Amino acid sequence: MADSGDSSTADRNNSASETADERLKRIYSMVNEKETPLPRSWSPKDKYNFIGLSQNNLRVHYKGIGKNHKDAASVRATHPIPSSCGIYYFEVKIVSKGRDGYMGIGLSAQGVNMNRLPGWDKHSYGYHGDDGHSFCSSGTGQPYGPTFTTGDVVGCCVNLIDNTCFYTKNGHNLGIAFTDLPHNLYPTVGLQTPGEIVDANFGQQPFVYDIEDYMREWHQKTRVTIESFPVPDHKGEWQKTLQRMVSTYLVHHGYCATAEAFAKSTGQSFTEELTSMKNRQRIQKLVLAGRMGEAIDTTQSLYPGLLERNPNLLFVLKCRQFVEMVNGTDSEVRGLSARSPKSRNSSGSSTGSEYRSSPSLSPSHHRMDTQRANGKIDRTYVTGNKSPNAGDLIHTKSNPSTSANQDHVSVAEMNAVNSVTNGFSTNQVDVEMEVEEYNSQMVCNGVSSRVNDGASTSYMNGCSHNNQHREDLMETDDFDTDKEVQSQRRQLCGGSQAAIEKMLQYGRELQGMSVQLRRQYGKNEANKKVLQDAFSLLAYADPWNSPVGYQLDTVQREPICAALNSAILESHGLPRQPPLEKAVGHATECLKLMSKVGIGSCAFANIEDYLR
């Protein structure tokens, strides 16, 4: 018990330094405020005219005559309580009880008469300060708790799991006041005599009552309910199904050694040859290392015709290679940078592979790291389905010398390239491509992704991903990452003039390919945006710290990696998404539906808790 108390004290100390947004996001972590905003203040539009508001609509004062009950006045909060809160709590401090202290604190539905104290009418519930009675949709109260007056803090807690409500006074729980509450109730406060003033705390400040301890109790109850739910397992079929789901997941993402060991221990068989798994793993390593050109070449060598049959995927891969060239991590510019006196130590050694200039891209792996500080992640996902043949789109090779008499790239030429690529002043790119967008708020490949204002931990493909997965894929010595480049002062294309020239030439060819795609297959806003975003990097002296610099983050390689990996699997008649991811996706969607129909336990059935 001592440990619990110490933990509670630490939580309180931490909460005191939180901002209001941080506190609300932590307490109501399952609430999506874009769909169901939390109550944060009193509504200046949903009140009786004897009510006055001040201090950001958090202070309420009475400005009526106050002769009798006909002069009562109430105000509702700006939004109803979302069911996805599970448990909702707010507090009201009595600044002044005024003349008589006829004050009511509680809940009401939209449309309830505001010329009354809360609790007097149907779908209205209140705890009154003058007599301590609770009023449940009736003008006749029931004895409930103590009276409250100036200086007291009264809290109201709504349990959306069992549909009950209790109040607190100065941090002490007064017990259940109401049961069988309806959904979509609003925090409400009512006043009746001159001089009455109250302040509301919707979470912008730490609460007097330890509501989070109460929430932890219900979180544990929900977990026990889930874990104790009976599952029929006739002759071990349930266990075999789970093992099969795990096996297909490991195979899908190319965890060769783990998949092989798991298969042996459980008697599972592969649906894909081990050699093919290792090939996909090798391609994923190249993509995650930023060596896009090599990844494309390897894909075309191991899976002939795959990219030619998926020109949309190929185009996006090529755009990513352009980004990696700007970053100085693609093999084509790394080799040139290594030979440049200016950047010999910054971009690493050449891989020895032959260099290409035609745009290219490659497969992918589903993993998301902690987002960059600006919170922006490009989640374009290329399906590659129903793609027209693109064999005629990948014939160009760049000339090693971009101009016979050109020794360097001038500022004027850089500006010219920018004007063409960023502004699309000639042959504007409008090509159509089938894409799926990663949902930044909820489901990414079937799994919830929770975002917290500038930092998030994403869960994709059925498990929580951190740097460990990248390390697993990059563990072999023959793959060097872009850490060398990042450890030095970052320069365009690694600081090599020859690399910059090659990158510009590559960009011209990429522009030409986009125009050809548009002419053959029509406009496509997705293709246009991918290309424009990539070319926009050249508009800034320091692209890494620019508004479009998020593209240079290594996390952006992973949607590309995932798209290519899925395309390879699909070409072998294997599913694009493993059953485990689908199961997690279904569970995520069920939680959303639970929230919409008012089942409050969805707040404590967090999938992330089971994926850690």
Side-chain angles (χ1 to χ4, degrees):
M1 294 299 293
D3 290 342
S4 176
D6 292 342
S7 175
S8 178
T9 301
D11 290 344
R12 285 176 176 273
N13 291 336
N14 291 335
S15 66
S17 61
E18 289 178 312
T19 65
D21 287 340
E22 291 171 342
R23 184 177 299 104
L24 290 172
K25 188 60 184 176
R26 179 174 53 80
I27 297 175
Y28 309 116
S29 59
M30 298 299 289
V31 175
N32 178 5
E33 288 207 76
K34 291 183 178 179
E35 296 181 359
T36 53
L38 289 164
R40 289 175 177 256
S41 65
W42 301 115
S43 172
K45 298 179 180 179
D46 195 6
K47 67 180 182 66
Y48 195 63
N49 55 15
F50 286 172
I51 290 290
L53 299 178
S54 60
Q55 297 188 11
N56 296 318
N57 293 332
L58 294 172
R59 171 163 289 188
V60 182
H61 65 273
Y62 183 78
K63 59 180 185 179
I65 302 173
K67 288 185 178 181
N68 53 48
H69 70 276
K70 294 182 179 180
D71 295 323
S74 294
V75 58
R76 269 187 286 266
T78 51
H79 300 286
I81 300 168
S83 296
S84 52
C85 289
I87 290 170
Y88 182 80
Y89 183 74
F90 70 99
E91 289 182 338
V92 174
K93 181 177 180 179
I94 313 304
V95 178
S96 172
K97 78 176 188 68
R99 190 183 71 196
D100 299 322
Y102 291 167
M103 299 171 288
I105 298 169
L107 309 159
S108 66
Q110 182 67 47
V112 171
N113 187 3
M114 290 284 92
N115 188 199
R116 307 271 284 171
L117 289 184
W120 286 353
D121 297 308
K122 187 177 180 180
H123 299 314
S124 178
Y125 311 85
Y127 168 36
H128 293 194
D130 60 308
D131 55 13
H133 287 186
S134 64
F135 291 76
C136 179
S137 303
S138 170
T140 303
Q142 300 295 325
Y144 171 65
T147 61
F148 51 86
T149 186
T150 302
D152 288 331
V153 176
V154 178
C156 178
C157 177
V158 182
N159 187 322
L160 296 136
I161 300 173
D162 63 4
N163 299 317
T164 61
C165 169
F166 70 83
Y167 288 89
T168 67
K169 179 182 176 183
N170 299 328
H172 299 286
N173 191 327
L174 302 179
I176 298 296
F178 309 114
T179 59
D180 300 320
L181 293 175
H183 303 305
N184 296 318
L185 295 176
Y186 291 72
T188 306
V189 66
L191 309 176
Q192 187 176 314
T193 62
E196 295 172 350
I197 304 173
V198 297
D199 285 345
N201 179 8
F202 293 105
Q204 69 269 21
Q205 300 294 332
F207 293 119
V208 175
Y209 177 71
D210 189 1
I211 188 62
E212 293 182 60
D213 186 57
Y214 178 74
M215 295 175 80
R216 281 189 288 269
E217 291 180 17
W218 277 92
H219 189 285
Q220 184 60 29
K221 288 180 182 179
T222 304
R223 189 180 185 100
V224 170
T225 301
I226 294 172
E227 293 177 351
S228 61
F229 188 83
V231 177
D233 191 12
H234 181 65
K235 295 181 180 180
E237 292 179 0
W238 179 252
Q239 186 65 23
K240 289 180 181 178
T241 300
L242 291 177
Q243 291 174 349
R244 186 62 180 165
M245 292 172 72
V246 173
S247 178
T248 55
Y249 177 84
L250 296 172
V251 170
H252 180 94
H253 293 297
Y255 297 111
C256 304
T258 305
E260 190 174 18
F262 185 81
K264 289 180 180 179
S265 66
T266 59
Q268 301 286 324
S269 60
F270 285 160
T271 54
E272 181 184 18
E273 293 182 0
L274 191 60
T275 301
S276 178
M277 288 176 59
K278 291 181 177 179
N279 287 339
R280 287 192 295 108
Q281 186 185 54
R282 178 178 180 82
I283 293 171
Q284 290 181 61
K285 291 177 180 179
L286 287 167
V287 174
L288 295 178
R291 293 157 62 175
M292 298 301 303
E294 290 179 73
I296 294 171
D297 280 357
T298 303
T299 302
Q300 291 175 328
S301 174
L302 296 174
Y303 305 98
L306 172 66
L307 296 181
E308 288 82 351
R309 292 190 301 271
N310 294 272
N312 293 327
L313 174 61
L314 178 61
F315 182 76
V316 176
L317 290 173
K318 291 173 181 290
C319 289
R320 184 65 207 178
Q321 187 180 3
F322 181 86
V323 172
E324 298 296 352
M325 293 176 79
V326 173
N327 204 22
T329 49
D330 188 70
S331 300
E332 293 206 25
V333 297
R334 283 175 68 90
L336 294 173
S337 298
R339 295 191 291 270
S340 170
K342 181 184 295 185
S343 59
R344 183 161 299 162
N345 297 324
S346 65
S347 58
S349 59
S350 170
T351 63
S353 62
E354 62 177 76
Y355 299 110
R356 304 151 314 282
S357 292
S358 60
S360 30
L361 234 167
S362 93
S364 104
H365 175 75
H366 300 256
R367 186 192 72 79
M368 295 295 284
D369 253 338
T370 301
Q371 289 185 358
R372 289 168 55 87
N374 60 14
K376 188 170 185 181
I377 288 185
D378 186 355
R379 293 179 174 81
T380 302
Y381 184 93
V382 186
T383 66
N385 292 336
K386 302 178 183 178
S387 299
N389 189 294
D392 57 335
L393 297 178
I394 51 175
H395 56 74
T396 28
K397 296 286 181 181
S398 66
N399 190 336
S401 58
T402 58
S403 177
N405 59 357
Q406 184 179 24
D407 295 328
H408 66 280
V409 181
S410 65
V411 174
E413 182 175 1
M414 289 283 284
N415 290 336
V417 172
N418 287 340
S419 66
V420 173
T421 58
N422 295 335
F424 296 91
S425 59
T426 59
N427 297 327
Q428 184 173 11
V429 179
D430 290 306
V431 284
E432 296 242 339
M433 175 177 72
E434 293 181 346
V435 298
E436 298 172 3
E437 289 217 355
Y438 284 105
N439 190 321
S440 61
Q441 196 64 22
M442 276 294 178
V443 181
C444 296
N445 294 316
V447 190
S448 171
S449 173
R450 187 180 70 193
V451 181
N452 290 329
D453 296 336
S456 78
T457 302
S458 297
Y459 291 81
M460 306 179 69
N461 301 318
C463 68
S464 170
H465 290 283
N466 51 30
N467 288 331
Q468 184 60 45
H469 170 67
R470 185 182 296 270
E471 292 169 3
D472 291 342
L473 281 180
M474 311 299 285
E475 61 188 356
T476 52
D477 293 335
D478 59 330
F479 287 92
D480 48 344
T481 68
D482 55 345
K483 290 181 180 178
E484 300 172 68
V485 177
Q486 294 177 351
S487 64
Q488 303 292 331
R489 188 173 69 85
R490 294 175 297 192
Q491 295 175 298
L492 192 68
C493 300
S496 165
Q497 194 66 40
I500 293 176
E501 293 174 4
K502 182 174 282 287
M503 177 268 294
L504 290 173
Q505 177 61 24
Y506 185 89
R508 297 185 193 100
E509 294 171 0
L510 190 56
Q511 170 78 8
M513 178 184 177
S514 68
V515 172
Q516 191 173 354
L517 275 171
R518 178 195 176 192
R519 289 172 177 170
Q520 288 186 313
Y521 309 114
K523 294 182 179 181
N524 187 313
E525 291 300 322
N527 267 359
K528 175 181 176 180
K529 184 179 186 306
V530 170
L531 184 64
Q532 187 172 9
D533 286 349
F535 284 171
S536 294
L537 291 167
L538 300 183
Y540 300 91
D542 182 4
W544 291 270
N545 293 314
S546 69
V548 293
Y550 67 91
Q551 297 177 86
L552 299 168
D553 195 323
T554 56
V555 75
Q556 299 297 335
R557 298 168 183 165
E558 295 172 11
I560 298 294
C561 192
L564 184 52
N565 186 50
S566 293
I568 294 173
L569 287 166
E570 194 172 42
S571 70
H572 283 69
L574 298 173
R576 294 181 63 90
Q577 188 179 33
L580 181 59
E581 292 175 10
K582 291 182 179 179
V584 175
H586 291 161
T588 302
E589 289 301 313
C590 283
L591 289 177
K592 287 197 220 176
L593 291 175
M594 289 171 65
S595 175
K596 289 181 179 179
V597 298
I599 302 176
S601 57
C602 66
F604 303 123
N606 192 345
I607 292 178
E608 296 174 8
D609 293 342
Y610 297 90
L611 298 179
R612 294 194 180 107

